[in-house]
Amino acid sequence: MLNYLWSFLILTGLIVGSLNGHIVSMSDQILSSSKEAIELCILMFGIVGLWSGIMNIAVSLGLTDKLQKFLFPFLSFLFPNLKNQKAMEYISTNVVANILGLGWASTPSGLKAMEELQKDNPQKEIATNEMCSFLILNISSLQLIPINIIAYRNQYGAIQPSAIIIPGIIATCCSTLAGIIYIKWKDRKL
């Protein structure tokens, strides 16, 4: 459905721009936007490589295991009925990567966590409370260092790209707290 919507919007924009005599400025804009997209992809590729490497170093040094043990009481509070230890490991790895602002590195562990949670699901077509809680926790934008936003701000010439850190931490605390309150409120109703 979204493919059709985007195709319609792009074609409509091209037709209206052509009819209004702006075809030259449209083609210039398309070319400059394409160049900008490639530059942004190259920048993000470097950042992903750097932070994925740091995450691998943290894993090999055992730092992620220590963070996972530190997070275990918090995760046990959020997932009191979760008995699948493999799922809990994937969830904690996902949370650690998200806290460090490594959304790209958290995706594989998030998918593995959902696969493990699905194994224990008696009704395969309906998500369990644990699956919904995990999704809400991820949606709450749980991160301390918003690496991608800092990179985007740097790419587009912000004077202080890292000035977003404090507002980001405040937003993360508020959204994650709201997510946790919602999770516990829904758990209590069930």
Side-chain angles (χ1 to χ4, degrees):
M1 181 64 187
L2 283 177
N3 289 339
Y4 295 119
L5 179 64
W6 280 110
S7 298
F8 172 75
L9 290 173
I10 290 169
L11 287 174
T12 303
L14 288 172
I15 291 168
V16 170
S18 297
L19 294 175
N20 289 335
H22 296 291
I23 193 76
V24 173
S25 63
M26 273 183 10
S27 63
D28 290 343
Q29 201 60 28
I30 289 170
L31 291 175
S32 74
S33 296
S34 300
K35 178 185 171 206
E36 189 176 312
I38 296 297
E39 289 173 353
L40 187 61
C41 286
I42 291 170
L43 171 74
M44 295 311 289
F45 180 72
I47 291 171
V48 168
L50 172 72
W51 284 102
S52 294
I54 289 173
M55 186 69 171
N56 285 337
I57 291 169
V59 167
S60 66
L61 292 175
L63 295 176
T64 55
D65 291 336
K66 290 177 183 172
L67 280 172
Q68 288 173 355
K69 288 177 184 170
F70 177 74
L71 288 174
F72 188 75
F74 169 71
L75 294 176
S76 296
F77 170 72
L78 282 180
F79 304 99
N81 300 323
L82 184 59
K83 304 295 184 237
N84 187 333
Q85 278 306 114
K86 196 72 170 164
M88 186 64 90
E89 287 176 24
Y90 285 128
I91 290 171
S92 61
T93 302
N94 178 273
V95 169
V96 167
N98 275 322
I99 286 173
L100 297 175
L102 307 173
W104 316 284
S106 70
T107 301
S109 58
L111 293 173
K112 291 286 189 184
M114 281 297 204
E115 286 175 6
E116 285 296 321
L117 291 170
Q118 182 68 2
K119 287 179 184 176
D120 296 335
N121 188 355
Q123 297 177 324
K124 301 296 184 194
E125 61 279 346
I126 299 173
T128 63
N129 285 351
E130 287 78 17
M131 294 169 98
C132 293
S133 297
F134 179 59
L135 187 61
I136 291 168
L137 187 63
N138 270 292
I139 291 171
S140 76
S141 181
L142 179 67
Q143 63 180 338
L144 294 179
I145 306 168
I147 300 297
N148 21 352
I149 300 300
I150 293 170
Y152 294 143
R153 288 172 50 87
N154 186 45
Q155 175 74 12
Y156 292 111
I159 295 169
Q160 292 181 330
S162 60
I164 193 75
I165 291 176
I166 298 299
I169 290 173
I170 293 168
T172 291
C173 290
C174 292
S175 63
T176 303
L177 184 62
I180 291 169
I181 290 170
Y182 182 77
I183 289 168
K184 294 321 252 177
W185 177 65
K186 285 306 237 180
D187 278 348
R188 182 172 275 182
K189 290 185 93 174
L190 296 173

